Amino acid sequence: MGTSRSLVRIRKYGKFVFDSIAIRLDPEAWLRRVGARVGEGCRFYGVKPGTFGSEPFLISIGDHVTITDGVKLITHDGGLWIFRKATPKIELFAPIEIGSRVFIGVNAIILPGSVISDDSIVAAGAVVRGSFPPRSVIGGVPAKVLGTVDDYFAKNESSITTEFFGLTGGARREALTRKYLGRQA
């Protein structure tokens, strides 16, 4: 009995290691392999198997979506555990839909049943539950519409630049240091 439990643990650990490597090498391919729907041209930063919860097949991600470090997409509600004595088989699951051209900031949490429509921005640290219209800036705990992406662009227009696009490594550091700190890197 102890040996079979050990083998199960080894298999689970092996799967976790495999998934951890596979998701870092090609997040889009890993998501498709586990059943999620993923569009083209998406960017995933710092993702790991836990980023997409225990039911990644309930997640739909459009084209040109960015998901940043620490984001969690949760397709179930584990809080129902407290009702298990009265209702032993109680569960709650709901899909998550993310439209196209969506940016999800660091450490945002997307809860079951959420719909983030096209051309939207989710602020860092937001806790999102519900449906949000296209072109929304979404933030807060709980998340709400803070404005439109047009408002966001207008508010930041004086700081927006294209002069650093394409620079990497030392060249980027040098240019940013010179512009913003007024000195050589």
Side-chain angles (χ1 to χ4, degrees), residues 97-153:
E97 295 179 36
I98 301 169
S100 293
R101 297 167 308 282
V102 171
F103 179 90
I104 303 178
V106 173
N107 293 328
I109 299 171
I110 315 300
L111 295 173
S114 294
V115 177
I116 302 167
S117 298
D118 294 348
D119 301 303
S120 293
I121 298 169
V122 176
V127 178
V128 178
R129 180 174 213 134
S131 294
F132 295 87
R135 304 190 63 74
S136 295
V137 175
I138 303 159
V141 179
K144 62 182 181 180
V145 175
L146 302 175
T148 68
V149 292
D150 300 313
D151 297 335
Y152 172 81
F153 187 87

Side-chain angles (χ1 to χ4, degrees), residues 45-48 51 67-73 105-109:
Y45 297 106
V47 296
K48 46 190 168 278
T51 300
I67 295 178
T68 59
D69 194 32
V71 169
K72 299 284 187 199
L73 286 81
V106 173
N107 293 328
I109 299 171

Side-chain angles (χ1 to χ4, degrees), residues 37-42 60-65 98-101 118:
R37 286 173 289 163
V38 183
E40 298 300 319
C42 294
S60 174
I61 300 170
D63 296 328
H64 304 287
V65 171
I98 301 169
S100 293
R101 297 167 308 282
D118 294 348

Side-chain angles (χ1 to χ4, degrees), residues 164-185:
F164 307 112
F165 188 82
L167 295 178
T168 59
R172 184 176 183 88
R173 180 180 175 151
E174 183 66 36
L176 288 167
T177 303
R178 189 173 35 255
K179 175 158 180 139
Y180 294 109
L181 302 178
R183 60 179 171 78
Q184 297 291 328

